[in-house]
Amino acid sequence: MKDHEYKKDPIKSHHVILYVDTENIVPGNEDNCCWLGWPKNDHQKNKDWYTYVDPGEYITWIGLSISSPNDIVNITSISHEKKSNVFGKTILHGNGESPEKVIGTVQNDTDDENEQYMISFTVSNGNNGGLRNGSYRVDPEIRVRPPGSGG
């Protein structure tokens, strides 16, 4: 068998990075202190953020402090809220590592569907390990591209 006869498609994946102003965040001001995508767009709310994916792709959600290299943003879960459930599970749990992240796979039988979901996360002070003001939530959306639309 020649090299060009056997080629495996690389696994497609997306990283969704939640940027958090860990110094100023308190429950209720998530839209002011965290956002998806860089640079920050002051005119876009988190609920209006879309991640475009294809069936079978992996998504990894990770958090990043923009305030302190010592603060840890732990993505603790991804929860289905409304519309289609493109992961086939109501809740995807974090991996328990530090920093914690969540990995999900878009089901192969989904296409041209949307899902509203909730990112739940905590902020820990890296110096003493204590949580900062409890848990937080933001609610973006996933859009699965229809077949043949590219990506």
Side-chain angles (χ1 to χ4, degrees):
M1 182 181 300
K2 296 178 182 174
D3 284 341
H4 65 79
E5 291 177 331
Y6 178 73
K7 298 250 183 198
K8 230 179 165 180
D9 288 335
I11 295 173
K12 290 182 80 176
S13 65
H14 294 272
H15 288 85
V16 176
I17 302 172
L18 179 67
Y19 297 94
V20 182
D21 179 355
T22 55
E23 187 175 304
N24 294 304
I25 194 165
V26 293
N29 78 342
E30 288 91 344
D31 270 339
N32 295 322
C33 291
C34 59
W35 58 92
L36 300 146
W38 191 265
K40 181 179 181 184
N41 179 347
D42 289 326
H43 303 290
Q44 184 174 25
K45 300 287 185 197
N46 290 315
K47 68 181 180 74
D48 298 326
W49 177 267
Y50 302 105
T51 300
Y52 291 90
V53 298
D54 292 315
E57 289 186 334
Y58 294 92
I59 303 175
T60 303
W61 289 268
I62 56 177
L64 184 65
S65 170
I66 62 148
S67 305
S68 169
N70 295 322
D71 287 345
I72 298 169
V73 178
N74 292 300
I75 307 296
T76 56
S77 67
I78 302 297
S79 304
H80 169 75
E81 293 288 307
K82 296 178 187 171
K83 300 185 181 179
S84 297
N85 186 342
V86 302
F87 298 108
K89 296 180 180 179
T90 303
I91 299 176
L92 301 173
H93 296 283
N95 63 357
E97 297 176 0
S98 181
E100 192 166 11
K101 62 185 173 185
V102 174
I103 300 171
T105 304
V106 178
Q107 295 183 82
N108 283 320
D109 61 351
T110 59
D111 60 63
D112 201 18
E113 297 181 37
N114 299 330
E115 175 177 350
Q116 288 180 308
Y117 66 99
M118 189 69 65
I119 300 174
S120 297
F121 65 100
T122 60
V123 175
S124 298
N125 181 310
N127 293 326
N128 65 20
L131 286 182
R132 269 204 192 164
N133 300 320
S135 298
Y136 307 94
R137 296 164 53 107
V138 295
D139 57 344
E141 201 168 307
I142 291 173
R143 293 195 173 174
V144 181
R145 289 185 278 261
S149 66

